[in-house]
Amino acid sequence: MNLTVNVEKNEKEYVLALSGEIDVYTAPRLKEKLLPLTKEKGTLVKINLEKVGYMDSTGLGVFISALKSTREHGSHLVLTNLPEKVFRLFEITGLNEIIDIEEKVRGGL
Amino acid sequence: MQTVNLEKENYKQLLKRFIEKNDEETLYKADLFSKESIRQNVTPDEIIHVYIQALEDLYPDLPETFRRSLDFLLETMISYGVAYKEFQEMREEQLEIKSELALAAKMQEKLLNTRVPEIKGLDIGAISIPAKQMNGDYYHFIEDHRGNLGVAIADVIGKGFPAALCMSMVKYTMDSFPESRMLPKRILQLLNRVVEKNVDPGMFVTMFYGLYNPDSHDFYYASAGHEPGLFYHGQHGVFTEIEAKGLVLGVERDVTYKQYKRRIELGDMIVLLTDGVTECRRGERFLERDEVIEVMKQYTHLPAQQMVERVFRYFEELQDFQLRDDFTLIVIRREN
């Protein structure tokens, strides 16, 4: 299974639409695309996870790196449309308390 | 095993026979010749060189243009010879790395080794199987001077070498804590600081820490974002999730952890696991937590060690079963 990352830019906002699986094989590529965006001061990086069918802890690692980077560079990270299974990972690990999560989707994929 | 004569003369005879007879048997011998050549590190261009010489011996009157074309062929093969030698060197290096890795894995096993303690009134079982050579899961038992049992189960994100190194750090930090009674929330708080300071930004560790008082049968626990464990109610024969909230280790500098307490009755069990247990894959599908619980229910009548082993074996024997992550399962049962 693969992961596609679609990036859209409007003014000071990036919207990333992810589709596929985030695991140990696809996470490095996501990190490569995501991290540079968090280094622009004042930008909002919004990630839509609606079409993510599976994510493991390696994926959480990518979002933690991104969160740390936004704090360092004065940008902001928001996750939206999390399928329930993906949201559960954030909940178990307590990361939902420190990462801005806008919406979760009932059921999901 | 048939020995093959790698002499030029042998090659010449094979070539001659094949040109004359065009037979399968000689082709088979040619195949053996090439295999033996590989075994003896003969490069592709060397074989072509032997071929040209044999051909010239057999047919001294080859047209000059054809002869020259053979030199041309030889020239274009030389780089393959060089590449082949590099490949062989890499293969040797790889073997070396492999044996070093095996050694490191053995060392890690020794370092992280923990003895399952024998405590009156408790039956304890534990199993930990790495998905790859090095284990990124870790469990640890400790008894303090008052006879309390401390139990830790942890999972470091990622697999292989970096995960294993991180786990060794956690283990040494835990060893350095004073032996007096340490509360779970305090242990997680201290560990978090060490992990936060020492790991890469994207790395983290999840841990569940519990402290069992064998006199009062109170179980104190706290979780740093770890896969929820299970309580088994002996009287009703049901499993319920251990609810404990807390942030994973290594993400924020100052984190306080909530500590919970529960009384364990006769026949009750505490089941601790890592997400390797719930991330087992069957073909395209992941096992659901409920399925894992159903499997555990089948073995609750067994002694704790047998129970954890049977649960693992059950999954291992499933068709299409694939261990995606390190697998660790601990069972602590209160008994007479």
Side-chain angles (χ1 to χ4, degrees):
Chain A
M1 191 68 181
N2 240 323
L3 176 74
T4 53
V5 184
N6 199 356
V7 187
E8 258 181 57
K9 190 184 181 193
N10 339 296
E11 304 244 332
K12 291 219 107 185
E13 180 183 303
Y14 286 103
V15 180
L16 276 75
L18 308 185
S19 160
E21 293 189 351
I22 311 176
D23 59 16
V24 67
Y25 304 104
T26 60
R29 212 160 28 87
L30 173 63
K31 191 172 175 180
E32 215 172 84
K33 283 205 172 169
L34 174 57
L35 278 201
L37 309 181
T38 59
K39 288 178 183 162
E40 296 173 25
K41 196 173 184 245
T43 49
L44 171 69
V45 182
K46 223 176 191 181
I47 304 176
N48 187 343
L49 294 157
E50 195 179 349
K51 290 187 176 141
V52 173
Y54 168 77
M55 184 171 99
D56 68 8
S57 49
T58 332
L60 290 177
V62 174
F63 294 123
I64 290 173
S65 303
L67 176 75
K68 286 183 177 175
S69 173
T70 57
R71 286 175 176 174
E72 193 184 328
H73 296 96
S75 54
H76 190 63
L77 175 75
V78 178
L79 306 183
T80 68
N81 297 317
L82 279 68
E84 208 158 84
K85 271 190 182 167
V86 175
F87 181 74
R88 187 168 176 268
L89 270 180
F90 284 92
E91 213 178 16
I92 289 174
T93 50
L95 292 166
N96 62 326
E97 304 281 341
I98 59 167
I99 294 179
D100 203 347
I101 294 176
E102 232 171 42
E103 257 178 277
K104 61 171 180 160
V105 177
R106 288 268 131 211
L109 289 181
Chain B
M1 167 100 196
Q2 207 173 335
T3 54
V4 182
N5 182 2
L6 278 189
E7 293 292 306
K8 253 187 267 174
E9 191 54 33
N10 182 35
Y11 187 89
K12 190 167 98 184
Q13 292 313 318
L14 286 176
L15 181 64
K16 183 166 180 262
R17 228 179 99 174
F18 184 71
I19 290 171
E20 284 164 2
K21 293 191 173 173
N22 198 10
D23 63 335
E24 284 294 324
E25 196 198 332
T26 315
L27 273 185
Y28 171 68
K29 283 185 175 160
D31 185 45
L32 288 181
F33 187 93
S34 76
K35 280 183 180 141
E36 180 62 17
S37 300
I38 288 172
R39 222 177 58 76
Q40 297 200 18
N41 299 338
V42 176
T43 59
D45 55 316
E46 280 167 344
I47 298 251
I48 290 190
H49 187 67
V50 171
Y51 166 80
I52 294 172
Q53 283 185 335
L55 201 66
E56 281 175 342
D57 278 359
L58 293 172
Y59 305 98
D61 301 325
L62 282 178
E64 179 57 20
T65 47
F66 181 65
R67 228 198 54 75
R68 233 184 277 158
S69 83
L70 290 174
D71 286 343
F72 188 77
L73 173 65
L74 184 62
E75 197 58 38
T76 49
M77 286 303 291
I78 284 174
S79 296
Y80 285 92
V82 175
Y84 181 66
K85 283 206 169 108
E86 279 172 6
F87 162 74
Q88 277 172 331
E89 279 168 22
M90 271 165 69
R91 203 164 54 176
E92 276 163 29
E93 272 170 36
Q94 200 206 12
L95 281 175
E96 224 169 273
I97 292 170
K98 236 183 166 173
S99 73
E100 273 176 29
L101 250 175
L103 207 67
K106 247 193 191 155
M107 233 170 112
Q108 191 214 14
E109 219 181 286
K110 237 182 181 167
L111 286 175
L112 298 187
N113 189 27
T114 181
R115 199 179 54 83
V116 175
E118 278 173 34
I119 293 174
K120 202 173 172 299
L122 291 181
D123 176 26
I124 305 171
I127 189 171
S128 187
I129 311 281
K132 287 190 177 170
Q133 216 164 11
M134 309 281 276
N135 200 340
D137 280 0
Y138 168 62
Y139 70 91
H140 182 74
F141 293 105
I142 191 163
E143 283 176 79
D144 70 14
H145 64 287
R146 294 184 209 182
N148 294 302
L149 169 73
V151 55
I153 183 166
D155 183 0
V156 54
I157 186 207
K159 301 170 180 79
F161 230 94
L165 283 176
C166 182
M167 216 31 108
S168 303
M169 178 180 80
V170 168
K171 143 95 178 164
Y172 278 106
T173 310
M174 303 237 313
D175 282 351
S176 71
F177 290 152
E179 285 215 0
S180 59
R181 180 171 143 157
M182 290 284 284
L183 290 171
K185 61 175 182 182
R186 182 87 183 116
I187 286 183
L188 293 183
Q189 191 182 9
L190 290 173
L191 271 177
N192 176 58
R193 261 183 232 157
V194 175
V195 176
E196 198 273 335
K197 224 184 267 176
N198 293 292
V199 299
D200 279 346
M203 209 169 190
F204 62 82
V205 178
T206 72
M207 181 182 278
F208 178 95
Y209 195 94
L211 188 74
Y212 192 101
N213 180 331
D215 297 325
S216 68
H217 296 287
D218 284 325
F219 183 58
Y220 302 87
Y221 57 94
S223 171
H226 194 79
E227 174 84 14
L230 301 160
F231 282 126
Y232 176 73
H233 307 247
Q235 209 185 343
H236 304 109
V238 289
F239 284 95
T240 53
E241 202 158 270
I242 300 179
E243 276 183 43
K245 283 197 179 301
L247 185 64
V248 293
L249 306 176
V251 177
E252 302 241 66
R253 189 158 306 161
D254 290 307
V255 183
T256 50
Y257 289 92
K258 192 173 169 193
Q259 188 166 293
Y260 304 78
K261 179 183 155 185
R262 184 192 173 95
R263 203 183 130 75
I264 305 298
E265 305 294 342
L266 258 179
D268 283 359
M269 284 191 263
I270 301 159
V271 178
L272 306 178
L273 42 93
T274 57
D275 60 10
V277 179
T278 46
E279 282 215 351
C280 294
R281 206 173 226 204
R282 261 192 101 172
E284 279 299 294
R285 201 172 64 83
F286 288 95
L287 288 173
E288 298 288 337
R289 256 178 100 79
D290 291 348
E291 291 178 77
V292 176
I293 290 173
E294 283 310 310
V295 173
M296 279 197 280
K297 271 189 185 159
Q298 295 176 29
Y299 300 117
T300 49
H301 61 286
L302 294 172
Q305 188 57 36
Q306 277 183 39
M307 181 177 160
V308 295
E309 281 166 12
R310 288 296 288 273
V311 171
F312 177 71
R313 214 186 312 152
Y314 175 91
F315 290 127
E316 199 185 29
E317 283 169 2
L318 288 180
Q319 222 183 355
D320 308 332
F321 172 78
Q322 201 188 337
L323 192 58
R324 290 251 299 196
D325 202 349
D326 309 324
F327 180 111
T328 300
L329 184 62
I330 295 174
V331 166
I332 301 169
R333 179 195 283 126
R334 183 181 163 194
E335 57 175 16
N336 281 319

